[in-house]
Amino acid sequence: MSGIFSKIAQGQIPSYKIAEDDKYFAFLDINPLAKGHTLVIPKQEVDYLFDLDEDTYTGLWTFSKKVAKAIESVCPCERIGVAVVGLEVPHAHVHLVPINTVGDIDFSRNRVAMTKEEFAAVAKEIRLGFLNL
Ligand code: AMP
């Protein structure tokens, strides 16, 4: 049975999509630490990042780099912080978070409240940024 992130990648569950190719999918985190907080997943459903095969693993980081550049081009920030947690959803994923201080990527802090319209607008901007890389 497919997990929630596989269903998102297959379009069975809606998401604010940022980018995809045949192996990877990027979408906004629904409970973001910052505007533009994005998750990047391999379409292959493997729970633990370090269990991915070498090609899928290195490809995930290459794809994440492109997504990070697109976020950077849209969300004003010092840099894009990267985290891998995976305690909530058992499908390997990289968190890309626009940050200005180390506290901005503290997963125990309050998340940012965003309206559907704000999610849709920032996703559209980052999507365009990705296409223009
Ligand atoms: P973790 O597995 O600990 O890295 O956390 C999973 C992340 O996935 C959290 O930041 C959630 O807000 C996010 N998340 C869970 N369900 C969804 C969803 N349906 N769409 C987007 N993000 C989600």
Side-chain angles (χ1 to χ4, degrees), residues 4-5 8 13-16 27-33 37 39 83-91 93 95 107 111:
I4 183 168
F5 283 1
I8 285 175
I13 290 179
S15 71
Y16 297 97
F27 56 105
L28 292 182
D29 193 300
I30 206 66
N31 204 7
L33 281 170
H37 179 171
L39 303 176
V84 176
V85 186
L87 291 172
E88 186 186 318
V89 179
H91 183 144
H93 54 279
H95 291 261
F107 282 79
R111 305 301 176 106

Side-chain angles (χ1 to χ4, degrees), residues 78-123:
E78 187 73 26
R79 57 181 55 213
I80 303 299
V82 178
V84 176
V85 186
L87 291 172
E88 186 186 318
V89 179
H91 183 144
H93 54 279
V94 173
H95 291 261
L96 299 175
V97 186
I99 59 170
N100 294 301
T101 71
V102 68
D104 294 340
I105 198 163
D106 173 357
F107 282 79
S108 63
R109 65 177 257 176
N110 286 341
R111 305 301 176 106
V112 171
M114 286 173 59
T115 63
K116 285 180 183 175
E117 290 73 21
E118 286 172 322
F119 273 113
V122 76

